[in-house]
Amino acid sequence: MELIKPGLKIPFTRYRKIALIISTVVNLAVLILLFTKGPNLGVDFAGGTMVHLKFQQKVTIPDVRQAFEKMGLGGSVIQDFGQPGANEYLVRLDKTSVEIGVLGEQIRKVLNEQFGPDKFEVRRIESVGPKIGEDLRQRGALSVLVATIMMGAYIWFRFDLRFGLGAVIALAHDVLVAVGALMLANYEFDLTIIAALLTIVGFSVNDTVGYC
């Protein structure tokens, strides 16, 4: 299947002003969202406890929430995980003083009472303290910022100052657009998302160097 016919010419530079306006508006909108609403931080950055559950039969989020309310651990956020119909859920709990081993036994006990034995699987339990979460959040943001600046510095020394500045602007644009899309989709920002943003920086600078 041929989507672009041979010999097709598109005058991209003719629409550069329109593209600049659109890019600026999008970037400003993302920055406003970052400083007002803020990203949906996962356990890695916000702290707390995350439980990954897999059920053998179809269950609903209210069913899972009802089971966790019996434990009296405070507020919980429950969301689908994996493919539709996979019956997998992520449960995020507030930070508790209960050790992970004891917490795992409590979870298995209430789920046994709610759904029956051998009807579920606790795949993983992760706990992150608020201090560690704050530190990871700062380091994650700093890693993306430093990577962007260093990529621009490399292009500056390798080619020219204007190319370096252009590369930094282009990288910042690509990262902000990706962050905005993730925020609109209500994705949780965790270490995996930071790795994805760093990958975007790498691919973006590769295209920039190819253009230079």
Side-chain angles (χ1 to χ4, degrees):
M1 183 174 64
E2 196 173 55
L3 298 177
I4 300 178
K5 302 296 183 182
L8 178 64
K9 296 182 179 179
I10 302 177
F12 290 102
T13 55
R14 181 186 302 175
Y15 307 110
R16 65 185 183 279
K17 293 182 179 180
I18 297 176
L20 178 62
I21 293 173
I22 294 175
S23 296
T24 303
V25 170
V26 170
N27 289 337
L28 288 176
V30 174
L31 289 173
I32 292 173
L33 280 176
L34 282 173
F35 287 104
T36 55
K37 177 184 176 182
N40 181 20
L41 299 178
V43 173
D44 289 341
F45 297 147
T49 303
M50 190 274 292
V51 184
H52 180 191
L53 301 173
K54 165 70 175 178
F55 292 90
Q56 305 303 323
Q57 75 278 14
K58 181 175 177 58
V59 298
T60 63
I61 290 180
D63 293 333
V64 180
R65 180 173 289 109
Q66 182 180 2
F68 276 85
E69 286 176 351
K70 296 178 181 178
M71 300 177 60
L73 295 177
S76 62
V77 177
I78 305 172
Q79 63 185 62
D80 290 306
F81 183 76
Q83 298 296 326
N87 295 322
E88 294 187 45
Y89 296 92
L90 289 180
V91 182
R92 189 171 71 184
L93 305 170
D94 294 336
K95 181 65 179 176
T96 67
S97 58
V98 182
E99 294 183 359
I100 290 184
V102 177
L103 179 62
E105 292 301 323
Q106 293 179 355
I107 291 174
R108 290 181 178 87
K109 181 179 179 181
V110 296
L111 292 180
N112 274 328
E113 296 173 354
Q114 182 82 9
F115 304 104
D118 302 325
K119 299 295 184 182
F120 65 92
E121 177 186 354
V122 180
R123 295 200 160 180
R124 57 190 168 112
I125 301 178
E126 298 177 358
S127 182
V128 177
K131 178 61 178 177
I132 296 177
E134 181 182 0
D135 185 57
L136 289 174
R137 183 169 65 248
Q138 293 175 351
R139 290 175 180 269
L142 186 62
S143 65
V144 176
L145 179 61
V146 170
T148 301
I149 294 175
M150 293 306 294
M151 291 290 189
Y154 164 74
I155 295 177
W156 173 17
F157 286 111
R158 177 66 177 81
F159 297 99
D160 192 82
L161 173 59
R162 57 178 178 172
F163 291 142
L165 294 175
V168 170
I169 295 173
L171 294 175
H173 167 270
D174 293 345
V175 170
L176 284 175
V177 169
V179 168
L182 292 171
M183 290 179 64
L184 289 177
N186 200 32
Y187 269 82
E188 283 193 351
F189 280 68
D190 52 18
L191 294 177
T192 305
I193 295 298
I194 295 299
L197 294 177
L198 291 174
T199 303
I200 290 174
V201 171
F203 277 105
S204 180
V205 77
N206 182 67
D207 290 341
T208 303
V209 170
Y211 176 76
C212 294

Tab-separated table of all heavy atoms in Angstrom, residues 9 19 21 45 49 60 63 71 100 114 118 128 132 139 155 159 167 171 176 178 182 186 191 200 204:
chain	number	residue	atom	x	y	z
A	9	LYS	N	5.363	16.753	-3.698
A	9	LYS	CA	6.108	17.856	-3.109
A	9	LYS	C	5.204	18.659	-2.182
A	9	LYS	O	4.148	19.142	-2.602
A	9	LYS	CB	6.675	18.767	-4.204
A	9	LYS	CG	7.701	18.084	-5.111
A	9	LYS	CD	8.259	19.054	-6.142
A	9	LYS	CE	9.299	18.362	-7.020
A	9	LYS	NZ	9.854	19.292	-8.052
A	19	ALA	N	2.921	26.558	11.721
A	19	ALA	CA	3.436	25.496	12.585
A	19	ALA	C	4.037	26.076	13.863
A	19	ALA	O	3.869	25.507	14.953
A	19	ALA	CB	4.485	24.671	11.839
A	21	ILE	N	3.175	28.861	15.390
A	21	ILE	CA	2.079	29.327	16.253
A	21	ILE	C	1.430	28.143	16.968
A	21	ILE	O	1.184	28.180	18.184
A	21	ILE	CB	1.034	30.103	15.422
A	21	ILE	CG1	1.636	31.415	14.907
A	21	ILE	CG2	-0.210	30.384	16.260
A	21	ILE	CD1	0.745	32.166	13.952
A	45	PHE	N	6.922	8.309	42.521
A	45	PHE	CA	7.172	9.716	42.793
A	45	PHE	C	6.335	10.275	43.936
A	45	PHE	O	6.787	11.165	44.650
A	45	PHE	CB	6.917	10.550	41.530
A	45	PHE	CG	7.844	10.216	40.393
A	45	PHE	CD1	7.414	10.304	39.084
A	45	PHE	CD2	9.142	9.815	40.638
A	45	PHE	CE1	8.265	10.002	38.028
A	45	PHE	CE2	10.006	9.509	39.594
A	45	PHE	CZ	9.560	9.604	38.291
A	49	THR	N	1.894	2.751	48.495
A	49	THR	CA	2.024	1.318	48.233
A	49	THR	C	1.191	0.948	47.021
A	49	THR	O	0.046	1.370	46.897
A	49	THR	CB	1.557	0.489	49.451
A	49	THR	OG1	2.321	0.875	50.587
A	49	THR	CG2	1.747	-0.995	49.198
A	60	THR	N	-15.216	-6.391	39.241
A	60	THR	CA	-15.330	-4.967	38.960
A	60	THR	C	-14.499	-4.178	39.962
A	60	THR	O	-14.118	-4.684	41.034
A	60	THR	CB	-16.795	-4.511	39.031
A	60	THR	OG1	-17.288	-4.705	40.369
A	60	THR	CG2	-17.649	-5.314	38.054
A	63	ASP	N	-15.993	-4.040	43.398
A	63	ASP	CA	-15.775	-5.269	44.158
A	63	ASP	C	-14.405	-5.242	44.842
A	63	ASP	O	-14.271	-5.599	46.024
A	63	ASP	CB	-15.866	-6.490	43.242
A	63	ASP	CG	-17.269	-6.698	42.690
A	63	ASP	OD1	-18.229	-6.271	43.368
A	63	ASP	OD2	-17.399	-7.277	41.595
A	71	MET	N	-9.966	-3.580	55.126
A	71	MET	CA	-8.659	-3.558	55.766
A	71	MET	C	-8.433	-2.275	56.549
A	71	MET	O	-7.553	-2.207	57.407
A	71	MET	CB	-7.552	-3.734	54.719
A	71	MET	CG	-7.634	-5.033	53.947
A	71	MET	SD	-6.367	-5.142	52.674
A	71	MET	CE	-4.877	-5.018	53.648
A	100	ILE	N	5.631	-4.789	54.284
A	100	ILE	CA	5.097	-5.348	53.043
A	100	ILE	C	4.670	-6.805	53.227
A	100	ILE	O	3.630	-7.227	52.725
A	100	ILE	CB	6.149	-5.225	51.913
A	100	ILE	CG1	6.312	-3.764	51.507
A	100	ILE	CG2	5.744	-6.065	50.696
A	100	ILE	CD1	7.253	-3.540	50.355
A	114	GLN	N	-13.450	-12.346	50.128
A	114	GLN	CA	-14.312	-11.664	49.158
A	114	GLN	C	-14.545	-12.503	47.902
A	114	GLN	O	-15.670	-12.576	47.402
A	114	GLN	CB	-13.682	-10.327	48.770
A	114	GLN	CG	-14.498	-9.493	47.791
A	114	GLN	CD	-15.590	-8.706	48.492
A	114	GLN	OE1	-15.633	-8.657	49.709
A	114	GLN	NE2	-16.470	-8.099	47.715
A	118	ASP	N	-7.773	-19.248	45.558
A	118	ASP	CA	-7.333	-19.609	44.202
A	118	ASP	C	-8.094	-18.884	43.104
A	118	ASP	O	-8.120	-19.333	41.960
A	118	ASP	CB	-7.460	-21.130	43.985
A	118	ASP	CG	-6.657	-21.931	44.981
A	118	ASP	OD1	-5.561	-21.458	45.363
A	118	ASP	OD2	-7.115	-23.018	45.393
A	128	VAL	N	6.940	2.758	48.485
A	128	VAL	CA	7.925	3.837	48.385
A	128	VAL	C	7.559	4.906	49.400
A	128	VAL	O	6.414	5.358	49.455
A	128	VAL	CB	7.956	4.449	46.962
A	128	VAL	CG1	8.934	5.619	46.905
A	128	VAL	CG2	8.323	3.399	45.934
A	132	ILE	N	11.671	9.279	49.649
A	132	ILE	CA	12.285	8.648	48.473
A	132	ILE	C	11.546	9.055	47.214
A	132	ILE	O	12.145	9.312	46.165
A	132	ILE	CB	12.278	7.113	48.639
A	132	ILE	CG1	13.150	6.717	49.840
A	132	ILE	CG2	12.784	6.431	47.377
A	132	ILE	CD1	13.144	5.240	50.134
A	139	ARG	N	15.069	13.859	40.806
A	139	ARG	CA	16.118	13.295	39.954
A	139	ARG	C	15.593	12.964	38.562
A	139	ARG	O	16.309	13.116	37.562
A	139	ARG	CB	16.706	12.047	40.611
A	139	ARG	CG	17.546	12.330	41.849
A	139	ARG	CD	17.993	11.051	42.532
A	139	ARG	NE	18.805	11.325	43.710
A	139	ARG	CZ	20.115	11.432	43.711
A	139	ARG	NH1	20.786	11.279	42.590
A	139	ARG	NH2	20.777	11.684	44.832
A	155	ILE	N	25.617	19.469	20.067
A	155	ILE	CA	25.388	19.967	18.705
A	155	ILE	C	26.039	21.343	18.533
A	155	ILE	O	26.549	21.672	17.456
A	155	ILE	CB	23.875	20.026	18.420
A	155	ILE	CG1	23.302	18.603	18.431
A	155	ILE	CG2	23.595	20.687	17.081
A	155	ILE	CD1	21.809	18.544	18.244
A	159	PHE	N	28.672	21.502	15.668
A	159	PHE	CA	28.273	22.219	14.453
A	159	PHE	C	28.348	23.739	14.655
A	159	PHE	O	29.300	24.372	14.240
A	159	PHE	CB	26.848	21.807	14.044
A	159	PHE	CG	26.728	20.353	13.695
A	159	PHE	CD1	26.226	19.444	14.634
A	159	PHE	CD2	27.107	19.872	12.458
A	159	PHE	CE1	26.115	18.095	14.327
A	159	PHE	CE2	27.005	18.528	12.136
A	159	PHE	CZ	26.513	17.637	13.080
A	167	ALA	N	18.393	22.940	18.601
A	167	ALA	CA	18.212	21.568	19.073
A	167	ALA	C	17.553	21.546	20.447
A	167	ALA	O	16.658	20.735	20.707
A	167	ALA	CB	19.558	20.850	19.128
A	171	LEU	N	14.055	19.790	21.217
A	171	LEU	CA	13.955	18.731	22.210
A	171	LEU	C	12.922	19.085	23.282
A	171	LEU	O	12.125	18.232	23.695
A	171	LEU	CB	15.310	18.474	22.858
A	171	LEU	CG	16.411	17.898	21.958
A	171	LEU	CD1	17.725	17.811	22.713
A	171	LEU	CD2	16.013	16.539	21.434
A	176	LEU	N	7.688	18.260	25.816
A	176	LEU	CA	6.465	18.882	26.319
A	176	LEU	C	5.229	18.312	25.641
A	176	LEU	O	4.201	18.081	26.288
A	176	LEU	CB	6.523	20.396	26.121
A	176	LEU	CG	7.421	21.170	27.090
A	176	LEU	CD1	7.482	22.641	26.700
A	176	LEU	CD2	6.897	21.028	28.520
A	178	ALA	N	4.912	15.296	24.389
A	178	ALA	CA	4.722	13.948	24.940
A	178	ALA	C	4.134	14.013	26.343
A	178	ALA	O	3.213	13.248	26.682
A	178	ALA	CB	6.052	13.195	24.964
A	182	LEU	N	0.465	12.529	27.584
A	182	LEU	CA	0.360	11.603	28.712
A	182	LEU	C	-0.576	12.147	29.788
A	182	LEU	O	-1.332	11.393	30.415
A	182	LEU	CB	1.744	11.335	29.305
A	182	LEU	CG	2.709	10.543	28.414
A	182	LEU	CD1	4.106	10.544	29.009
A	182	LEU	CD2	2.220	9.107	28.240
A	186	ASN	N	-4.223	10.756	31.131
A	186	ASN	CA	-4.230	10.449	32.565
A	186	ASN	C	-3.298	9.290	32.915
A	186	ASN	O	-3.605	8.475	33.781
A	186	ASN	CB	-5.651	10.136	33.050
A	186	ASN	CG	-5.792	10.303	34.555
A	186	ASN	OD1	-5.133	11.158	35.158
A	186	ASN	ND2	-6.626	9.496	35.175
A	191	LEU	N	8.907	5.939	36.922
A	191	LEU	CA	10.243	5.812	36.346
A	191	LEU	C	10.203	5.317	34.902
A	191	LEU	O	11.077	5.657	34.095
A	191	LEU	CB	11.087	4.863	37.206
A	191	LEU	CG	11.404	5.371	38.623
A	191	LEU	CD1	12.172	4.315	39.408
A	191	LEU	CD2	12.199	6.673	38.568
A	200	ILE	N	12.707	9.633	23.905
A	200	ILE	CA	12.245	10.657	22.961
A	200	ILE	C	13.347	11.681	22.714
A	200	ILE	O	13.575	12.108	21.571
A	200	ILE	CB	10.976	11.345	23.501
A	200	ILE	CG1	9.793	10.368	23.466
A	200	ILE	CG2	10.646	12.607	22.701
A	200	ILE	CD1	8.537	10.905	24.101
A	204	SER	N	14.900	12.329	19.075
A	204	SER	CA	14.731	13.674	18.568
A	204	SER	C	16.074	14.291	18.174
A	204	SER	O	16.201	14.909	17.120
A	204	SER	CB	14.050	14.558	19.617
A	204	SER	OG	13.874	15.878	19.143
